[in-house]
Amino acid sequence: MPVSPENPEAPAAERRYGTDILVRRHEGGHVAELVLDRPRALNAIATATAEALRAACAELAGDREVRAVVLTSSAERAFCVGADLKERNSFTDAELMRQRPVTRAAYTAVLDLPVPAVAAVHGFALGGGYEIALACDLIVADPSAVVGLPEVSVGVIPGGGGTQLLPRRVGAARAAELVFTARRVEAREAKELGLVDVLVADGEDRTEALALGARIAAHSPLGLRAAKRALRLGQGLDLRAGLEVEDAAWRSVATSGDRAEGVAAFNEKRKPQWPGE
């Protein structure tokens, strides 16, 4: 965990990864706010942005104090507008191919976060920006949100998981319509279609997402990780196979210190003090 220069033994409130990603700690360090912080470019994902995002997620994934991650934006008009097309316009084909593993690793790092992840979306969340949100477990949006996967309109396809994650949210036919037409979907319709999960008042996406992260982080760190593992690994399996995944996840926490503390706290009518082991 990063430390502050004033007190080397105390967790730092913030840490920057490159110039484009900022991580803040809340709730005693149990909620990590991962801020997309390239506002002048509406958080367009350049090579450096992708490298910083991957590095931040890798560190958060290995931090056992973190129980929830909330992805937010410092840009007033966007969560993230997707790939930095200005940068890509300067690439040769060979340079684009060399960049591909870098950007793919960034999207994968968000998807592979072992704790619950919540995206706070306002303004544009398009292409890779919406794919970052799709890689999270829950999406909170305000009325300004506009989401979509417009990649076919510029001659490519979604490359950050969109063709696989969107059908899991809204079904194959709905995902096909959205990908093939490249259309942008405004907040109210996005909520109706299941493209976002929670619709809040204007400007309240970050506040509500952090509050949701805090509610999540109040629970067993081992239980949260096991529950996410079961939910993710069970997707797409038949029922019997899915139940085996669930059983394995249950067994991984059944004899843990968290389970013992949770039962004891319930019987003693007190707040649990999770050992995280």
Side-chain angles (χ1 to χ4, degrees):
M1 179 181 294
V3 295
S4 65
E6 296 82 7
N7 180 1
E9 296 182 357
E14 295 186 348
R15 177 169 179 177
R16 185 166 289 281
Y17 296 79
T19 60
D20 299 346
I21 300 295
L22 178 67
V23 172
R24 298 190 184 105
R25 302 303 181 103
H26 304 270
E27 303 296 322
H30 297 316
V31 177
E33 180 186 4
L34 194 161
V35 187
L36 304 177
D37 192 30
R38 196 186 178 208
R40 290 186 178 180
L42 300 183
N43 295 325
I45 305 165
T47 304
T49 314
E51 290 172 338
L53 180 58
R54 183 209 59 77
C57 288
E59 185 159 320
L60 293 175
D63 188 339
R64 301 298 294 188
E65 291 298 313
V66 175
R67 302 178 189 173
V69 175
V70 178
L71 280 82
T72 67
S73 163
S74 66
E76 291 185 4
R77 296 194 297 117
F79 174 72
C80 174
V81 294
D84 187 336
L85 297 185
K86 290 183 179 179
E87 180 189 61
R88 289 196 177 181
N89 192 48
S90 69
F91 285 173
T92 65
D93 288 349
E95 288 170 335
L96 181 61
M97 290 299 102
R98 284 197 294 272
Q99 189 211 35
R100 173 59 177 166
V102 176
T103 54
R104 186 177 180 186
Y107 297 122
T108 300
V110 178
L111 186 65
D112 286 349
L113 286 167
V115 297
V118 182
V121 173
H122 61 265
F124 298 112
L126 301 172
Y130 184 47
E131 288 172 305
I132 289 173
L134 285 173
C136 296
D137 302 289
L138 295 165
I139 302 174
V140 176
D142 85 350
S144 71
V146 178
V147 305
L149 297 175
E151 283 86 348
V152 297
S153 70
V154 293
V156 290
I157 71 166
T163 65
Q164 305 306 305
L165 295 170
L166 188 58
R168 286 167 166 79
R169 266 191 166 263
V170 299
R174 179 67 68 191
E177 183 261 322
L178 293 167
V179 171
F180 295 158
T181 64
R183 73 181 179 94
R184 301 178 179 191
V185 183
E186 295 185 357
R188 188 172 298 280
E189 183 186 5
K191 175 64 169 62
E192 292 173 353
L193 297 179
L195 301 175
V196 304
D197 303 300
V198 181
L199 190 59
V200 296
D202 188 49
E204 292 297 311
D205 53 292
R206 176 179 179 269
T207 299
E208 178 55 32
L210 285 171
L212 181 55
R215 293 196 295 274
I216 291 169
H219 301 301
S220 158
L222 290 188
L224 290 170
R225 288 171 178 252
K228 178 163 180 172
R229 190 163 63 248
L231 286 164
R232 285 288 178 90
L233 293 179
Q235 287 183 11
L237 300 179
D238 64 52
L239 178 59
R240 293 294 181 183
L243 290 173
E244 290 301 317
V245 168
E246 180 184 79
D247 185 66
W250 180 87
R251 289 176 183 277
S252 74
V253 296
T255 59
S256 69
D258 273 13
R259 198 276 314 172
E261 169 62 9
V263 172
F266 176 83
N267 284 288
E268 295 166 15
K269 296 180 173 58
R270 58 174 175 81
K271 184 178 179 180
Q273 300 297 316
W274 304 113
E277 59 184 24

